[in-house]
Amino acid sequence: MSISSLHRGYQVLRTLLHYGLDELLANHKRPKLFILLRWFFFWIRNQHQDKSTAERLKLAMQELGPVYIKLGQMLSTRKDLLDDEWAYQLAMLQDRVPPFDANLAKQAIETELNASIDSLFDDFDDVPLASASIAQVHSATLKSNGKAVVLKVLRPNVEALILADLQLMSQSAALLERLLGEGNRLRPAEVIEDYKMTILGELNLKLEALNAIKLRNNFLDSDALYVPYIYEELSFKRLIVMERIYGIPVSDLNALKAQDTNLKLLAERGVELFFTQVFRDNFFHADMHPGNIFISRDHPDNPYYIGLDCGIMGTLTDVDKRYLAENFLAFFNRDYHRIAQLHLESGWVSEHTDILAFEQAIKIVCEPMFNKPLDEISFGHVLLALFKTARQFNMVVQPQLVLLQKTLLYIEGLGRQLYPQLDLWQTAKPFLEQWMAKQVGPKALFDKVKSNAPFWAEKLPELPELVYDNLKMGRKLLGTQQQMLDKYLKYQHKAHKSNYLLITSAVLVICAAILFNQAVTLWPSLLCLGVGAGLWLLGWQARPKNRKL
């Protein structure tokens, strides 16, 4: 472990002890380990005993930086796992992170633009609209068209801090895989590597701009999602300039209710948006915490979402999408045997798994979820129970699904906040059935033929020449194979002839020895010995000289 990783590891440990978060582990199975830890670092005292544990956790995550803040952002949506105080404190991590100096922001912006702010913008506001874990947002007006925009600029030195955290996580994961048998099954190193690629991509605001443009184009004619316009010519690696939007934060239920927003429709559209992005577009927003989602102020009876921060986007392979859809449908249909089969076919569980026992274990966990409204179901608890079940059957964690799992957690948290009675099954099942119908059957075959038709049309004129070349090559190959076969048969013939003569020679020599011991005269034994010697010479000369075919 490098010095920088050791230093960052000590910072993390010092921060946890400084805020007294070791108290969260009071009921751990090995409490003595943490008592020993507190005793070993005796000079680090809990300096925040007057604050609640929830507030201390928020302050610690805020101090540790972006990687930990994003964990808090995800947890803030899980009100089924956290009480109101914990959810409230962690929600403050979304856009209430202390801002950095406006002069530093201006300097960074002008460096990226290679021009002064005054030459391109009017009304630049030194007070940021929002200050998040990785970047800060300032408002302004474009000189060229007078439209309101926001400028998102990375925090100073944020890359170095994130790289240090990622290095520490990678080294810890590698150590875990060596120390724990279960660690190898959970593949923590692969999971961290997947997360590393994701968060490093989020540090590139030019990539975020391109993601936003693609997502916007996917939903240009949609009534469900609006993505702000991106000024691509003003966007760079550490700066992005986009249209300013005026919406209501999705977490502000009082404001949404005050304008009579159709919360049921809004919640249903959230589920539909998720499945549309995953299965129709294979390009989904994977950072849907409340700080990134706003609701339109227009048409509250027909509300739409406004999506921000496209730094983390997810994709799946066609195989993953197919298995995922089939798993969802089997789950909605309570076909637990099919779920077990799919896990077996995909290699997510070992081929030696007792499929009947696995099916029964899935049923025990999932069956209580049906016929209940969302506010009576804890998907978080069910997820934990499924993980526990998976451990019993050595289920392998799929790193490529980590982002999808996190996005599902966000969707549930938003749905629970907006409309607790949302019927998730009724909303999602028809969509998945329609998608699966498009993947199999005559229409799917026709669509595949249609999509490949331009390629086939391009290759069709070359077909006669390709057929001729392949036939010519085939004849040449057959001729070569025939030559090799002739050589092999000739070699085998010589080898058999040589072996026959040598074996016969050996038999005659043995007979000569027997006759010499038993016969009165010597001539029979000498005759056998002479013939045997002659046959040996013939066999030696007949052996194959070259073994290369």
Side-chain angles (χ1 to χ4, degrees):
M1 186 175 289
S2 67
I3 295 177
S4 60
S5 294
L6 286 171
H7 180 258
R8 183 57 176 164
Y10 174 74
Q11 283 183 327
V12 172
L13 182 61
R14 178 179 58 79
T15 301
L16 295 178
L17 294 176
H18 176 78
Y19 288 97
L21 294 178
D22 54 312
E23 295 175 8
L24 291 172
L25 304 169
N27 297 322
H28 195 271
K29 293 180 180 179
R30 299 172 65 184
K32 291 183 179 179
L33 178 63
F34 301 99
I35 295 174
L36 183 63
L37 189 66
R38 171 64 73 175
W39 177 83
F40 187 79
F41 293 95
F42 62 90
W43 63 91
I44 306 175
R45 303 291 183 183
N46 179 2
Q47 302 295 325
H48 300 270
Q49 297 184 23
D50 58 323
K51 298 180 178 66
S52 67
T53 309
E55 186 178 0
R56 282 185 269 158
L57 178 61
K58 180 205 72 173
L59 293 172
M61 285 183 161
Q62 186 170 290
E63 184 173 321
L64 287 172
V67 175
Y68 301 90
I69 288 173
K70 288 195 169 295
L71 176 62
Q73 289 173 345
M74 186 187 76
L75 289 174
S76 71
T77 68
R78 307 299 295 144
K79 292 188 176 181
D80 57 321
L81 300 178
L82 305 174
D83 60 30
D84 290 340
E85 183 189 3
W86 285 80
Y88 171 75
Q89 290 292 342
L90 293 179
M92 294 177 66
L93 291 169
Q94 291 162 6
D95 57 6
R96 304 182 199 180
V97 178
F100 60 92
D101 187 79
N103 290 324
L104 292 176
K106 287 181 177 180
Q107 182 180 352
I109 291 170
E110 292 180 339
T111 299
E112 293 297 305
L113 292 172
N114 195 25
S116 67
I117 290 178
D118 293 338
S119 66
L120 296 171
F121 304 97
D122 290 325
D123 307 320
F124 182 89
D125 194 345
D126 287 348
V127 179
L129 283 176
S131 182
S133 56
I134 288 179
Q136 187 161 289
V137 177
H138 292 264
S139 64
T141 304
L142 272 176
K143 277 185 177 293
S144 59
N145 57 20
K147 291 186 177 181
V149 294
V150 294
L151 294 83
K152 179 178 179 180
V153 59
L154 289 184
R155 285 179 167 270
N157 302 318
V158 67
E159 296 96 336
L161 181 60
I162 288 179
L163 287 173
D165 276 331
L166 290 174
Q167 184 180 15
L168 178 62
M169 288 180 174
S170 296
Q171 291 166 342
S172 300
L175 180 62
L176 183 65
E177 285 195 342
R178 288 196 297 268
L179 295 179
L180 302 177
E182 186 180 29
N184 290 327
R185 178 184 61 79
L186 294 175
R187 301 191 295 189
E190 286 190 33
V191 173
I192 294 300
E193 188 64 26
D194 187 69
Y195 177 63
K196 178 180 179 180
M197 293 175 62
T198 299
I199 198 167
L200 289 179
E202 192 175 3
L203 291 174
N204 187 341
L205 296 187
K206 184 64 174 181
L207 178 61
E208 178 182 336
L210 296 175
N211 288 339
I213 292 170
K214 181 176 180 179
L215 185 62
R216 175 184 169 84
N217 291 335
N218 287 344
F219 288 90
L220 274 179
D221 300 321
S222 172
D223 292 330
L225 177 66
Y226 180 81
V227 179
Y229 180 80
I230 302 295
Y231 292 88
E232 188 175 358
E233 70 278 7
L234 298 177
S235 298
F236 303 91
K237 186 174 182 180
R238 294 181 58 84
L239 172 70
I240 184 172
V241 179
M242 72 184 80
E243 168 193 2
R244 183 174 181 178
I245 55 96
Y246 300 90
I248 301 173
V250 71
S251 57
D252 193 348
L253 279 178
N254 292 331
L256 292 173
K257 290 177 180 178
Q259 69 166 13
D260 294 326
T261 303
N262 188 336
L263 296 178
K264 180 176 183 295
L265 177 59
L266 192 62
E268 291 173 348
R269 281 183 168 174
V271 176
E272 291 172 359
L273 275 175
F274 168 74
F275 285 104
T276 300
Q277 291 179 69
V278 172
F279 292 101
R280 188 195 71 180
D281 303 329
N282 192 22
F283 189 72
F284 60 93
H285 196 304
D287 198 18
M288 296 181 67
H289 65 77
N292 288 337
I293 306 296
F294 288 76
I295 308 302
S296 63
R297 295 183 181 274
D298 303 326
H299 312 296
D301 57 324
N302 187 29
Y304 58 85
Y305 290 87
I306 302 172
L308 303 177
D309 195 348
C310 297
I312 304 179
M313 304 299 292
T315 60
L316 299 174
T317 66
D318 290 340
V319 173
D320 284 335
K321 286 197 299 180
R322 179 68 177 270
Y323 274 114
L324 192 64
E326 289 199 56
N327 269 286
F328 275 132
L329 286 175
F331 176 67
F332 293 148
N333 293 323
R334 306 190 195 188
D335 189 351
Y336 305 116
H337 181 70
R338 180 58 181 155
I339 294 176
Q341 280 184 321
L342 287 167
H343 280 71
L344 194 66
E345 291 172 7
S346 64
W348 293 352
V349 295
S350 169
E351 60 182 5
H352 304 297
T353 300
D354 184 340
I355 194 167
L356 293 178
F358 188 40
E359 174 189 347
Q360 188 63 27
I362 294 172
K363 182 177 181 180
I364 291 172
V365 172
C366 297
E367 189 67 22
M369 293 181 64
F370 290 94
N371 299 322
K372 291 183 178 180
L374 198 62
D375 60 348
E376 294 181 17
I377 300 172
S378 171
F379 283 88
H381 292 148
V382 170
L383 192 62
L384 292 175
L386 282 173
F387 285 161
K388 184 176 180 181
T389 302
R391 284 197 297 270
Q392 297 173 5
F393 292 89
N394 296 320
M395 181 174 172
V396 178
V397 170
Q398 302 298 310
Q400 73 273 22
L401 299 180
V402 170
L403 283 179
L404 186 74
Q405 293 170 355
K406 187 184 78 168
T407 305
L408 280 171
L409 291 178
Y410 286 156
I411 290 294
E412 181 197 353
L414 293 175
R416 188 181 297 278
Q417 290 176 16
L418 294 171
Y419 189 72
Q421 292 76 32
L422 172 67
D423 189 341
L424 182 65
W425 324 130
Q426 195 65 30
T427 306
K429 185 178 177 182
F431 182 95
L432 289 170
E433 289 176 337
Q434 292 175 10
W435 185 83
M436 283 298 297
K438 292 180 181 178
Q439 305 305 305
V440 296
K443 188 177 184 303
L445 179 60
F446 175 77
D447 290 340
K448 289 180 181 178
V449 171
K450 183 179 178 181
S451 65
N452 288 322
F455 174 77
W456 292 342
E458 180 184 349
K459 293 298 180 183
L460 189 59
E462 304 174 18
L463 186 60
E465 185 177 350
L466 290 172
V467 171
Y468 174 77
D469 289 344
N470 277 281
L471 287 173
K472 186 177 179 182
M473 185 179 296
R475 285 196 216 89
K476 185 177 180 181
L477 181 62
L478 286 173
T480 303
Q481 290 178 337
Q482 185 64 45
Q483 291 176 2
M484 292 177 65
L485 180 61
D486 291 342
K487 288 183 179 181
Y488 176 76
L489 291 175
K490 187 176 181 181
Y491 168 81
Q492 289 295 328
H493 176 72
K494 288 185 177 181
H496 285 308
K497 181 179 178 181
S498 173
N499 291 338
Y500 174 78
L501 292 173
L502 291 173
I503 291 172
T504 304
S505 170
V507 171
L508 289 173
V509 170
I510 293 172
C511 290
I514 295 173
L515 290 173
F516 179 79
N517 288 328
Q518 296 183 357
V520 178
T521 60
L522 294 176
W523 70 267
S525 59
L526 291 175
L527 179 61
C528 288
L529 184 63
V531 174
L535 292 176
W536 183 84
L537 288 173
L538 290 175
W540 179 258
Q541 291 179 350
R543 77 188 192 283
K545 301 296 189 299
N546 186 8
R547 294 179 179 270
K548 294 183 180 180
L549 297 181

